[in-house]
Amino acid sequence: MLVQPIQVAFYNCNAHKCNLIGNWTNELGSNMTIVKPTPGTIFTGSYFTAVTVENGTVIKESFLYGAEDDQHSDQPVFGFVVNWSFTVSISDFIGQCFVDGEGVEKLETMWLLRAKADSSGDNWKATRVGSNLFFRPNK
Ligand code: BTN
């Protein structure tokens, strides 16, 4: 059977725009929910991390806010900040929302985690860097 160019174009199409809104989990077992109070680039949400730097710290839900470029791609880039409610640290995540041909979404991110340094001399050890892959949790 001859494959027509129009069919090739159809099969290469992403099933839909990658949507940041909703529930996500990452490979550490952390969970987050992203909401958009108003349509546009700005979003908010909540983050429940599965891990923390300090052993013995009681983990609580934390607030996040961020922005995405929702104008120029069906696989938008984004960034968000989590101000950890249970400790003196803050995380910045940046990433991109990818969707495959079956409509499966994932967020590929990198993050910086900034802890409080006791003095400027300790500044060098106050920042960690890493990456997280987020996917939709099983319902
Ligand atoms: C802290 O321990 O200072 C606050 C919690 C930090 C959790 C980090 S942020 C990057 C990584 N991804 C997660 O889901 N949790 C850890």
Short mmCIF file of all heavy atoms in Angstrom, two decimals, residues 80-103:
data_model
loop_
_atom_site.label_atom_id
_atom_site.label_comp_id
_atom_site.label_asym_id
_atom_site.label_seq_id
_atom_site.Cartn_x
_atom_site.Cartn_y
_atom_site.Cartn_z
N PHE A 80 8.99 27.14 37.41
CA PHE A 80 8.21 27.43 38.63
C PHE A 80 9.10 27.39 39.86
O PHE A 80 10.19 26.79 39.85
CB PHE A 80 6.99 26.50 38.77
CG PHE A 80 7.28 25.03 38.94
CD1 PHE A 80 7.56 24.49 40.19
CD2 PHE A 80 7.26 24.17 37.84
CE1 PHE A 80 7.80 23.14 40.35
CE2 PHE A 80 7.49 22.81 37.99
CZ PHE A 80 7.77 22.29 39.25
N VAL A 81 8.61 28.06 40.89
CA VAL A 81 9.33 28.17 42.16
C VAL A 81 8.51 27.47 43.23
O VAL A 81 7.28 27.63 43.28
CB VAL A 81 9.50 29.66 42.54
CG1 VAL A 81 10.16 29.80 43.90
CG2 VAL A 81 10.29 30.40 41.49
N VAL A 82 9.18 26.69 44.07
CA VAL A 82 8.52 26.11 45.25
C VAL A 82 9.18 26.72 46.48
O VAL A 82 10.39 26.58 46.68
CB VAL A 82 8.65 24.57 45.32
CG1 VAL A 82 7.78 24.03 46.46
CG2 VAL A 82 8.29 23.91 44.00
N ASN A 83 8.36 27.40 47.28
CA ASN A 83 8.84 27.96 48.55
C ASN A 83 8.48 26.93 49.63
O ASN A 83 7.33 26.83 50.03
CB ASN A 83 8.15 29.31 48.78
CG ASN A 83 8.70 30.01 49.99
OD1 ASN A 83 9.73 29.62 50.55
ND2 ASN A 83 8.02 31.04 50.44
N TRP A 84 9.47 26.17 50.09
CA TRP A 84 9.19 25.04 50.98
C TRP A 84 8.65 25.55 52.31
O TRP A 84 9.30 26.36 52.98
CB TRP A 84 10.44 24.18 51.16
CG TRP A 84 10.91 23.65 49.84
CD1 TRP A 84 12.00 24.06 49.14
CD2 TRP A 84 10.26 22.65 49.04
NE1 TRP A 84 12.09 23.37 47.94
CE2 TRP A 84 11.04 22.50 47.85
CE3 TRP A 84 9.13 21.87 49.18
CZ2 TRP A 84 10.70 21.61 46.84
CZ3 TRP A 84 8.78 20.97 48.17
CH2 TRP A 84 9.57 20.85 47.02
N SER A 85 7.49 25.04 52.69
CA SER A 85 6.79 25.56 53.87
C SER A 85 7.35 25.02 55.18
O SER A 85 7.10 25.58 56.23
CB SER A 85 5.30 25.20 53.78
OG SER A 85 5.14 23.78 53.79
N PHE A 86 8.12 23.92 55.13
CA PHE A 86 8.53 23.24 56.36
C PHE A 86 10.02 23.39 56.66
O PHE A 86 10.52 22.81 57.63
CB PHE A 86 8.19 21.74 56.25
CG PHE A 86 8.74 21.10 55.01
CD1 PHE A 86 10.01 20.54 54.99
CD2 PHE A 86 7.99 21.07 53.84
CE1 PHE A 86 10.53 19.97 53.86
CE2 PHE A 86 8.50 20.50 52.68
CZ PHE A 86 9.77 19.95 52.69
N THR A 87 10.72 24.18 55.82
CA THR A 87 12.16 24.38 56.03
C THR A 87 12.58 25.66 55.32
O THR A 87 11.81 26.23 54.52
CB THR A 87 12.96 23.16 55.53
OG1 THR A 87 14.33 23.31 55.90
CG2 THR A 87 12.83 22.99 54.03
N VAL A 88 13.81 26.12 55.62
CA VAL A 88 14.26 27.38 55.02
C VAL A 88 15.03 27.06 53.74
O VAL A 88 16.26 26.98 53.73
CB VAL A 88 15.14 28.19 56.00
CG1 VAL A 88 15.44 29.56 55.42
CG2 VAL A 88 14.47 28.30 57.34
N SER A 89 14.29 26.83 52.68
CA SER A 89 14.92 26.59 51.38
C SER A 89 13.89 26.86 50.29
O SER A 89 12.69 26.97 50.55
CB SER A 89 15.45 25.15 51.29
OG SER A 89 14.39 24.23 51.37
N ILE A 90 14.39 26.95 49.09
CA ILE A 90 13.52 27.28 47.95
C ILE A 90 14.06 26.55 46.72
O ILE A 90 15.28 26.37 46.58
CB ILE A 90 13.47 28.81 47.77
CG1 ILE A 90 12.28 29.24 46.93
CG2 ILE A 90 14.75 29.38 47.22
CD1 ILE A 90 11.89 30.69 47.16
N SER A 91 13.17 26.08 45.86
CA SER A 91 13.58 25.38 44.63
C SER A 91 13.04 26.09 43.41
O SER A 91 11.89 26.55 43.40
CB SER A 91 13.07 23.94 44.61
OG SER A 91 13.68 23.17 45.59
N ASP A 92 13.87 26.16 42.38
CA ASP A 92 13.45 26.64 41.06
C ASP A 92 13.50 25.47 40.09
O ASP A 92 14.55 24.81 39.98
CB ASP A 92 14.42 27.71 40.54
CG ASP A 92 14.06 29.08 41.03
OD1 ASP A 92 13.29 29.19 41.99
OD2 ASP A 92 14.57 30.05 40.44
N PHE A 93 12.41 25.20 39.43
CA PHE A 93 12.37 24.17 38.39
C PHE A 93 12.21 24.84 37.03
O PHE A 93 11.44 25.81 36.90
CB PHE A 93 11.16 23.23 38.57
CG PHE A 93 11.26 22.28 39.73
CD1 PHE A 93 11.01 22.69 41.03
CD2 PHE A 93 11.56 20.94 39.50
CE1 PHE A 93 11.08 21.80 42.09
CE2 PHE A 93 11.63 20.03 40.56
CZ PHE A 93 11.39 20.47 41.86
N ILE A 94 12.91 24.34 36.03
CA ILE A 94 12.67 24.74 34.64
C ILE A 94 12.50 23.47 33.83
O ILE A 94 13.06 22.41 34.18
CB ILE A 94 13.83 25.56 34.04
CG1 ILE A 94 15.17 24.86 34.29
CG2 ILE A 94 13.83 26.98 34.56
CD1 ILE A 94 16.28 25.39 33.43
N GLY A 95 11.73 23.55 32.76
CA GLY A 95 11.56 22.34 31.97
C GLY A 95 10.70 22.54 30.75
O GLY A 95 10.38 23.67 30.36
N GLN A 96 10.32 21.40 30.17
CA GLN A 96 9.46 21.41 28.99
C GLN A 96 8.47 20.27 29.11
O GLN A 96 8.79 19.18 29.61
CB GLN A 96 10.29 21.26 27.71
CG GLN A 96 9.45 21.40 26.45
CD GLN A 96 10.26 21.57 25.18
OE1 GLN A 96 11.48 21.69 25.23
NE2 GLN A 96 9.59 21.56 24.05
N CYS A 97 7.25 20.55 28.66
CA CYS A 97 6.15 19.58 28.65
C CYS A 97 6.15 18.89 27.28
O CYS A 97 5.99 19.56 26.25
CB CYS A 97 4.85 20.35 28.88
SG CYS A 97 3.39 19.36 29.17
N PHE A 98 6.38 17.60 27.28
CA PHE A 98 6.42 16.83 26.02
C PHE A 98 5.22 15.90 25.93
O PHE A 98 4.78 15.34 26.94
CB PHE A 98 7.69 15.97 25.94
CG PHE A 98 8.96 16.76 25.79
CD1 PHE A 98 9.81 16.95 26.88
CD2 PHE A 98 9.32 17.31 24.57
CE1 PHE A 98 10.99 17.67 26.75
CE2 PHE A 98 10.50 18.04 24.43
CZ PHE A 98 11.33 18.21 25.52
N VAL A 99 4.69 15.74 24.72
CA VAL A 99 3.59 14.80 24.51
C VAL A 99 3.95 13.93 23.31
O VAL A 99 4.40 14.44 22.28
CB VAL A 99 2.24 15.53 24.34
CG1 VAL A 99 2.25 16.50 23.19
CG2 VAL A 99 1.09 14.56 24.21
N ASP A 100 3.77 12.60 23.46
CA ASP A 100 4.14 11.72 22.34
C ASP A 100 2.94 11.44 21.43
O ASP A 100 1.84 11.99 21.64
CB ASP A 100 4.80 10.43 22.87
CG ASP A 100 3.83 9.52 23.61
OD1 ASP A 100 2.61 9.70 23.48
OD2 ASP A 100 4.31 8.61 24.33
N GLY A 101 3.14 10.63 20.45
CA GLY A 101 2.11 10.35 19.45
C GLY A 101 0.86 9.71 20.02
O GLY A 101 -0.22 9.79 19.41
N GLU A 102 1.00 9.06 21.17
CA GLU A 102 -0.17 8.45 21.84
C GLU A 102 -0.83 9.41 22.82
O GLU A 102 -1.74 9.00 23.56
CB GLU A 102 0.23 7.18 22.59
CG GLU A 102 0.18 5.93 21.73
CD GLU A 102 1.49 5.72 21.00
OE1 GLU A 102 2.54 5.74 21.66
OE2 GLU A 102 1.46 5.57 19.76
N GLY A 103 -0.31 10.62 22.91
CA GLY A 103 -0.90 11.59 23.83
C GLY A 103 -0.37 11.48 25.25
O GLY A 103 -0.91 12.09 26.16
#
